[in-house]
Amino acid sequence: MYNTLQLGIKYINYLITANNGRGHGMHSPFVYDLIRNVLMDKKQYEAYEKPEAFRKRLLNNETIIEVEDLGAGSVSGKTKQRKISEIVRTSVKHKRYSRLLYRIACYYKYGRILELGTSLGVTSSYLAQVPGLEELVTMEGADAVADMAEREVLNYGKVRVVRGDFDGQVAESGERDVERGEARGVRREDIGGHRTNLEKLVSDMPRIDMAFIDGNHRREPTLRYFETILPKTHEDSCIIFDDIHWSREMEEAWEKIMKDARVTLSIDLFFIGIVFFRKEFREKQHFSIRF
Ligand SMILES: C[S@@+](CC[C@H](N)C(=O)[O-])C[C@H]1O[C@@H](n2cnc3c(N)ncnc32)[C@H](O)[C@@H]1O
């Protein structure tokens, strides 16, 4: 992970070199349209209200929970005691980006969305409200945060919180999951706690219109998740990667994904990177855009 100074320098460099955030001089009609109608959309949607009220409640929640330590730099099986307010401050996407994800999904009418890394379910609460949503599947390896997320996002319907390590073992939902679920007030038949891994989860999805990869920020797993998800994407899909400049490993993963022949357009917004697979672009395009 880069330190604050390194990240700061990278961010300044991005601000200096990135394309204009208003679309001036942009030669790609698709990207111009994305900038003008999605990135620049400042409308206060009603769908922003509930997730931000939820975030506020979490920020005021001083309860300490036991959280499995997953992702970059973690040691398998280790747990940490963490305050809910601290998790939401440090691990949850800033509203600027959760909202952008929501707008992207709305604009391109994405019906099947996959989120890797639910955490407390704040970004999921935005995505759960996309009009025409068929299903949002969001996967989380830490049970206690998944429980909290589930309590909130089940209110929206069409959302499944799936528990499991992206790279872990597949196991059918056991009695333990059922008991945990029922204790949370979730009906036995609604328990999405089938402990699974990403491969199995993706193989059970009919297609993936949009995926948000926001967990385990390391080179090899990120590339593997990309490969696992890809077969279920189609020409109009997009995959969004979080924290593409967070570490050298993540920058290497992003570089490799950008250069992948199947990716026809990549967009670097510094804190997230988006890739598209549309065949309408005559040549492979990459843009870094101020956001
Ligand atoms: C940055 S948080 C997700 C934030 C969420 N997307 C949001 O914006 O509201 C990343 C989450 O991914 C989970 N995670 C990391 N590595 C994982 C793995 N290998 N399997 C399952 N979950 C994992 C962590 O437990 C953590 O809750």
Side-chain angles (χ1 to χ4, degrees):
M1 181 189 164
Y2 290 127
N3 64 36
T4 315
L5 179 66
Q6 289 168 315
L7 209 58
I9 293 169
K10 281 179 179 291
Y11 187 61
I12 291 168
N13 191 41
Y14 153 79
L15 290 178
I16 295 168
T17 57
N19 281 72
N20 183 287
R22 303 185 67 79
H24 301 316
M26 172 54 63
H27 61 265
S28 160
F30 178 85
V31 179
Y32 180 80
D33 184 66
L34 172 75
I35 294 174
R36 302 296 296 188
N37 293 311
V38 185
L39 300 190
M40 284 178 64
D41 182 358
K42 299 276 188 295
K43 194 168 163 229
Q44 286 300 308
Y45 290 95
E46 208 183 311
Y48 295 171
E49 288 170 16
K50 280 203 239 163
E52 285 316 312
F54 178 45
R55 190 195 301 265
K56 216 167 166 184
R57 289 202 302 282
L58 294 170
L59 281 168
N60 288 322
N61 192 334
E62 301 295 291
T63 311
I64 293 172
I65 54 174
E66 193 82 26
V67 179
E68 289 88 342
D69 198 7
L70 293 145
S74 67
V75 179
S76 163
K78 238 178 88 184
T79 61
K80 258 192 207 152
Q81 295 213 326
R82 295 187 66 190
K83 249 191 210 162
I84 288 171
S85 57
E86 182 236 316
I87 300 176
V88 76
R89 256 196 310 275
T90 56
S91 308
V92 168
K93 213 66 200 137
H94 188 275
K95 67 178 176 201
R96 192 169 158 68
Y97 293 91
S98 305
R99 289 175 179 186
L100 175 62
L101 260 63
Y102 167 78
R103 296 200 301 272
I104 291 174
C106 292
Y107 194 68
Y108 296 110
K109 299 187 170 49
Y110 289 144
R112 292 214 173 254
I113 304 176
L114 171 67
E115 179 184 34
L116 292 196
T118 316
S119 187
L120 295 160
V122 174
T123 298
S124 328
S125 303
Y126 278 94
L127 296 173
Q129 297 181 78
V130 170
L133 182 72
E134 288 165 59
E135 190 175 41
L136 164 67
V137 180
T138 177
M139 185 169 185
E140 174 56 55
D143 280 340
V145 285
D147 288 355
M148 294 213 59
E150 191 173 59
R151 240 172 269 143
E152 179 69 15
V153 299
L154 285 191
N155 295 323
Y156 295 99
K158 296 184 183 167
V159 185
R160 197 151 48 97
V161 179
V162 177
R163 288 165 182 72
D165 184 336
F166 309 149
D167 314 296
Q169 298 298 311
V170 178
E172 280 312 300
S173 179
E175 264 315 298
R176 178 173 159 263
D177 291 318
V178 173
E179 275 168 27
R180 283 178 68 89
E182 287 183 336
R184 306 190 297 274
V186 181
R187 289 182 314 162
R188 184 169 270 259
E189 54 273 34
D190 287 342
I191 290 165
H194 298 272
R195 225 151 272 281
T196 189
N197 63 19
L198 183 61
E199 215 177 313
K200 171 82 172 60
L201 178 73
V202 167
S203 73
D204 291 342
M205 289 180 75
R207 60 168 211 282
I208 297 173
D209 299 327
M210 171 173 152
F212 176 41
I213 302 183
D214 187 16
N216 204 359
H217 293 332
R218 287 181 292 173
R219 181 182 189 278
E220 194 276 325
T222 302
L223 293 172
R224 192 152 27 85
Y225 304 154
F226 173 64
E227 288 297 340
T228 307
I229 291 168
L230 217 59
K232 286 291 166 87
T233 59
H234 49 86
E235 217 188 300
D236 296 331
S237 302
C238 79
I239 304 183
I240 302 176
F241 296 88
D242 188 58
D243 275 339
I244 51 173
H245 296 288
W246 188 72
S247 62
R248 184 182 294 269
E249 281 202 30
M250 279 306 286
E251 287 193 322
E252 284 171 6
W254 172 241
E255 186 82 16
K256 196 153 192 299
I257 289 164
M258 265 166 47
K259 290 188 175 150
D260 190 290
R262 295 161 293 185
V263 169
T264 56
L265 167 67
S266 50
I267 296 176
D268 180 342
L269 300 180
F270 194 79
F271 290 108
I272 60 170
I274 313 171
V275 295
F276 290 91
F277 309 94
R278 292 173 183 243
K279 304 252 180 353
E280 70 200 60
F281 313 124
R282 250 179 276 134
E283 50 190 51
K284 204 169 162 53
Q285 304 178 27
H286 172 73
F287 299 97
S288 180
I289 299 167
R290 221 172 289 144
F291 175 68

